[in-house]
Amino acid sequence: RGVSKAAAQVDLWFKDIAPSPDLRVRWHHAAPEDWAVYAGEYRAELATSSAVDTAQEFEREHGTVTLLYAAKDPERNHAIVLLDFLGG
């Protein structure tokens, strides 16, 4: 949080793999007990997203991929779901 793209030296700002705006808005203030539902809906989005193929190709080409996120909760955020979905 609070680090600019330039300061973070980000190679790829990959917005297409993030949760859809609708999913983010609906679950932004979700109760912790709803986390499994949010994660399931995000996984469903990922299952049909061509962005996942692009991310996997990037990983094959570059080896290590570091996921950055700005969520306050380090245990309940889309990067955790994405990492699990990608098999990390």
Side-chain angles (χ1 to χ4, degrees):
R1 289 184 65 84
V3 177
S4 70
K5 287 187 247 183
Q9 299 181 358
V10 173
D11 295 321
L12 177 64
W13 195 265
F14 199 28
K15 291 182 179 184
D16 293 343
I17 205 161
S20 67
D22 180 55
L23 186 57
R24 281 194 310 271
V25 169
R26 280 189 294 130
W27 293 98
H28 180 70
H29 297 290
E33 62 270 11
D34 295 332
W35 169 250
V37 176
Y38 165 83
E41 289 194 26
Y42 181 38
R43 282 187 186 94
E45 287 185 357
L46 291 169
T48 61
S49 174
S50 63
V52 171
D53 296 331
T54 303
Q56 291 171 328
E57 179 63 28
F58 190 85
E59 182 182 18
R60 281 191 292 278
E61 290 176 9
H62 299 279
T64 300
V65 173
T66 302
L67 301 175
L68 303 177
Y69 62 92
K72 291 179 182 179
D73 187 337
E75 296 177 11
R76 290 194 170 116
N77 63 70
H78 78 280
I80 299 298
V81 178
L82 177 58
L83 180 64
D84 180 63
F85 187 87
L86 294 174

